[in-house]
Amino acid sequence: MSESISIKQTIVVRARPDVLYRLALDPRRRAGWDPNVASGAYEGSEGRLANGALARYKFSRRLLGLSFTVKYGQLQAPQRGGWESVRHVGPLEKLTQGWTFKPMPGGTEVTLSLNARVRFGWVRQPVERSLHNMVATTLLELQRQVDAQGAQMLEDMGREMQERQKAEQKAAREAAKAARRRK
């Protein structure tokens, strides 16, 4: 008898929906920032995000390193999209993931929903715990990934400002020194 697990979490991220859409749904980009995904790639020659496209994901070692194939569906850029597993994923009969991106002032409301059907009842509790952890870390890392770009820009601007202030201070010292010499 299979048991279902449904998880839905929402977070507000300071970024445009189209940027988040590509980061979350493109398997190659997802593997770059999500610690739960060890690798991700399109299957076949097309290699682009479209309804019916197949992709191959591999979870990280702490999620047992499971490899599985997914089929994309319900893609409506940049509002929503998702995928479902083609075959079973370890102890799961089916695994589906859906993303919604709702623009709002100051950012985007991102909702990640995960549905799974467990093949064996005795493994439901630990699997559900792992999936909850996976959803939470994925959303937090998405926020970090987007904010990292903004944080880097602010850091660079701060460094430039410091350099400019040092140059101005040095010029002021040189001018004061020259004024003292003239007296």
Side-chain angles (χ1 to χ4, degrees):
M1 183 175 137
S2 64
E3 296 184 38
S4 294
I5 298 172
S6 289
I7 302 167
K8 189 175 196 175
Q9 289 189 19
T10 302
I11 191 170
V12 176
V13 180
R14 288 178 294 175
R16 295 188 332 259
D18 59 322
V19 171
L20 297 170
Y21 178 85
R22 286 191 304 273
L23 273 174
L25 290 166
D26 188 316
R28 291 176 294 221
R29 289 185 185 188
R30 176 90 180 263
W33 62 265
D34 191 347
N36 299 307
V37 177
S39 66
Y42 290 106
E43 282 192 348
S45 59
E46 264 189 57
R48 66 183 190 88
L49 194 57
N51 282 316
L54 295 175
R56 186 119 181 105
Y57 281 99
K58 181 175 177 153
F59 281 147
S60 65
R61 290 180 82 187
R62 76 187 151 102
L63 291 170
L64 306 176
L66 298 171
S67 291
F68 57 100
T69 303
V70 300
K71 182 177 182 179
Y72 282 94
Q74 300 177 350
L75 295 177
Q76 288 183 341
Q79 288 109 16
R80 67 187 175 120
W83 51 256
E84 70 177 22
S85 61
V86 176
R87 279 180 233 98
H88 66 83
V89 180
L92 303 173
E93 263 180 50
K94 190 164 256 332
L95 179 64
T96 62
Q97 191 176 80
W99 292 85
T100 56
F101 307 96
K102 184 178 168 191
M104 56 188 304
T108 304
E109 184 181 87
V110 179
T111 303
L112 172 56
S113 54
L114 190 81
N115 296 311
R117 239 183 0 252
V118 181
R119 291 164 63 186
F120 316 106
W122 56 271
V123 79
R124 183 185 197 283
Q125 224 174 2
V127 166
E128 186 170 15
R129 216 176 5 253
S130 293
L131 292 176
H132 268 289
N133 187 27
M134 184 179 98
V135 168
T137 55
T138 296
L139 286 173
L140 286 174
E141 287 299 321
L142 176 64
Q143 187 174 33
R144 276 195 191 120
Q145 175 69 19
V146 172
D147 286 348
Q149 297 165 353
Q152 184 65 44
M153 188 175 75
L154 287 175
E155 192 177 305
D156 291 345
M157 286 172 53
R159 200 175 307 115
E160 286 175 16
M161 186 72 126
Q162 280 181 332
E163 288 171 4
R164 202 174 311 127
Q165 286 175 346
K166 283 180 183 177
E168 288 171 2
Q169 287 172 350
K170 187 176 180 182
R173 276 193 307 251
E174 294 291 327
K177 209 181 218 184
R180 272 185 268 147
R181 281 190 203 143
R182 281 189 220 134
K183 288 185 180 180

